[in-house]
């Protein structure tokens, strides 16, 4: 048996050439070649890769270099004294802090000036406004955006009762801090402090901004 390859023949119709034979073979080849070529090209990235790249681009950067770009901070929050006296009651107050941090691969070391104000009322309804001032040093160890660590401060306290002002003894204040960076600039922070004088004992919850 011999195999005969029939080439398409053409005839002229209305001024144009029309193939009489072999049209199905030509059409199939024409369709197959682009489909095969397109299979070897990747013109558009897959959806999972686009989503993964977008997620990595939007993740906050907590590297040492990124933290060093915003060394200064200010925070403001609620302060609650944690001591109780004989026939006295305490009212929540406020805390404000301004400071500077030095970021390293292991921890953030920072110095800050802090002020706390709250009121205390005795059994005779005499109210005193207590003001605490501190120069604080903290070592805050990090895990991505989460950080925690101990601190030490030198503090002084003053108050007013019925128009009279009194001063307390300067004290060494010990503290513990737990915080989280919402973004490279914004953070929230819980802090507890204690000393030998009751007026220093309390905890705070703050919202801060780095710059």
């Amino acid at each position: 048996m011999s195999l005969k390859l029939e080439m398409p023949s053409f005839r002229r119709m209305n001024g144009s050439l029309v193939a009489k034979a072999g049209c199905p073979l030509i059409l199939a080849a024409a369709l197959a070649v682009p489909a095969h070529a397109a299979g070897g090209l990747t013109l558009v990235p897959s959806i999972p890769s686009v989503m993964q790249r977008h997620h990595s681009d939007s993740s906050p950067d907590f590297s040492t270099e990124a933290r060093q770009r915003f060394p200064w901070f200010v925070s403001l929050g609620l302060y609650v004294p944690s001591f109780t006296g004989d026939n006295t009651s305490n009212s929540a107050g406020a805390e404000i802090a301004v400071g500077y941090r030095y970021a390293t691969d292991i921890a953030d070391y920072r110095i800050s000036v802090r002020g706390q104000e709250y009121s205390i009322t005795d059994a005779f309804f005499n109210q005193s406004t207590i003001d605490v001032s501190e120069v604080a040093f903290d070592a805050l160890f990090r895990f991505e955006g989460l950080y925690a660590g101990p601190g030490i401060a030198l503090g002084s306290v003053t108050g007013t009762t019925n128009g009279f002002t009194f001063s307390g003894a300067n004290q060494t204040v010990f503290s513990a801090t737990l915080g989280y960076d919402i973004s490279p600039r914004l953070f929230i922070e819980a802090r507890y402090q204690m000393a030998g004088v009751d007026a220093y004992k309390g905890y705070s919850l703050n919202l801060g901004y780095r710059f």
Side-chain angles (χ1 to χ4, degrees):
M1 178 183 295
S2 61
L3 178 64
K4 180 181 180 182
L5 179 63
E6 182 179 357
M7 298 298 294
S9 61
F10 299 86
R11 63 184 178 86
R12 184 175 298 274
M13 178 181 291
N14 297 329
S16 61
L17 293 177
V18 179
K20 294 177 59 179
C23 289
L25 181 60
I26 295 175
L27 181 60
L31 293 176
V33 171
H36 175 75
L41 297 177
T42 304
L43 300 179
V44 180
S46 62
I47 293 178
S49 65
V50 173
M51 294 177 62
Q52 183 177 4
R53 184 168 62 251
H54 174 73
H55 176 73
S56 62
D57 292 343
S58 61
S59 298
D61 184 3
F62 299 119
S63 65
T64 303
E65 293 76 11
R67 301 198 314 273
Q68 288 173 348
R69 289 198 292 266
F70 306 111
W72 296 93
F73 74 91
V74 60
S75 64
L76 179 65
L78 177 72
Y79 181 81
V80 180
S82 61
F83 67 92
T84 56
D86 295 336
N87 298 316
T88 62
S89 60
N90 304 326
S91 299
E95 179 179 84
I96 186 171
V98 178
Y100 178 90
R101 68 170 179 175
Y102 179 72
T104 69
D105 294 340
I106 300 175
D108 292 345
Y109 302 98
R110 73 182 187 186
I111 180 173
S112 61
V113 177
R114 294 182 174 272
Q116 298 142 7
E117 184 177 88
Y118 61 94
S119 62
I120 181 173
T121 305
D122 64 17
F124 301 99
F125 302 102
N126 296 313
Q127 188 177 65
S128 298
T129 300
I130 308 298
D131 292 292
V132 178
S133 301
E134 299 176 3
V135 178
F137 303 89
D138 301 289
L140 304 173
F141 300 92
R142 303 190 63 95
F143 179 76
E144 293 293 336
L146 185 68
Y147 60 88
I152 189 171
L154 178 62
S156 64
V157 60
T158 60
T160 58
T161 301
N162 297 328
F164 295 95
T165 300
F166 63 89
S167 299
N170 294 339
Q171 285 284 310
T172 299
V173 183
F174 300 95
S175 64
T177 300
L178 174 65
Y180 181 75
D181 287 348
I182 303 172
S183 71
R185 288 184 180 271
L186 291 177
F187 65 92
I188 55 175
E189 194 171 276
R191 184 175 179 271
Y192 176 75
Q193 65 179 37
M194 62 177 298
V197 174
D198 285 345
Y200 292 97
K201 297 178 180 179
Y203 57 92
S204 60
L205 181 64
N206 299 289
L207 176 66
Y209 179 79
R210 307 188 195 279
F211 56 96

